[in-house]
Amino acid sequence: MNLIDRTGETRGITESRQRSRRTGEFIPIFRGARTREPGDIDSIVLHQTSFSQSARGNRIDRYDHTIAHFVVLPNGTVLQLRALETRLNSIAADNGIHIEFVGLFYDDRFTCRMLRRRRSRRELPTISQVHDGRELLVYLRSLEGLHGQLRYILAHRQITTMGSDRDNCPGPHIWYNLGKWAVDTLGMSSARSEARPIPPSWEDPRFQIPPPCDPPDSGRLTARGQPLPRPEGVSAYGFRKPRPEGLDFYPDDEFEIF
Ligand SMILES: [Zn+2]
């Protein structure tokens, strides 16, 4: 995991770049106390930024105003924006570690057909985000200062006070590959008191990354930027790519246009 410490750069930043719907002002990053007791931290909260991966890309200096402790970039780089004891203007302010995954991710209506048609602005988490995001969860669980008290892994939607506005935060792909993975593999729980349950539709294996779909094209573009079809789409005698197995099959750059 490539973990970059941005806590120095964010030290003087007090406003997000998200505007309040009510006042039109930038939402402050802090409200009330700016620190919290490390002993109160017991949950990891998963989010999606809800803007596309290409908007700010992998530029490590473009996320400093995000209200989060960590951001996982499209290439898997993990930015630590704030110390764990920083208390943010957010739900679970006293007990949650907030991780944002960069992307505008599909909701639970996702199908392989959507990937092939490419009509949607929505996208998938990259393999690197899944891989390095998992490493981040393991790393947080191993921290001495938290003394094994990090028991809960939550989807933002479970605890939001913003109703259906956050229904797709972080979305089923992040939940399936990180949240459910942490429950199954690290023994964490999503059943914190007062947290709503995860919708059963989010626990479907079709949300695996990489998706259990045939690749829609060869992963290459024409000079005019159009995706080239898979070789077997050109000729019945063309070379057939092997089917993807496991997490590391596609090189990241091929996957990101997928
Ligand atoms: Zn969220």
Side-chain angles (χ1 to χ4, degrees), residues 112 115-116 118 211-219 228-232 240-244 249-250 254 258:
C112 291
L115 286 186
R116 289 195 293 271
R118 296 165 175 271
C213 308
D214 286 326
D217 55 52
S218 61
L228 280 168
R230 281 181 289 163
E232 63 269 37
R240 178 172 278 277
K241 277 188 178 181
R243 281 189 63 80
F249 182 81
Y250 293 112
E254 280 194 25
F258 185 40

Side-chain angles (χ1 to χ4, degrees), residues 56-121:
R56 302 184 198 175
N58 295 313
R59 293 265 311 268
I60 64 170
D61 58 347
R62 300 290 297 279
Y63 297 91
D64 292 344
H65 292 262
T66 309
I67 305 178
H69 295 96
F70 296 91
V71 176
V72 183
L73 303 186
N75 68 2
T77 297
V78 178
L79 307 180
Q80 177 161 14
L81 299 182
R82 292 178 186 84
L84 296 178
E85 58 267 29
T86 302
R87 186 177 181 280
L88 298 173
N89 177 13
S90 64
I91 34 103
D94 291 313
N95 49 52
I97 297 174
H98 293 276
I99 305 177
E100 286 276 359
F101 289 82
V102 176
L104 175 61
F105 300 131
Y106 288 98
D107 61 22
D108 61 5
R109 291 169 293 185
F110 168 81
T111 62
C112 291
R113 190 155 179 261
M114 292 178 176
L115 286 186
R116 289 195 293 271
R117 286 161 56 107
R118 296 165 175 271
R119 298 248 174 91
S120 175
R121 288 170 56 231

Side-chain angles (χ1 to χ4, degrees), residues 47-48 100 156 166 169:
H47 302 264
Q48 62 163 312
E100 286 276 359
H156 182 185
R166 295 290 179 272
C169 195

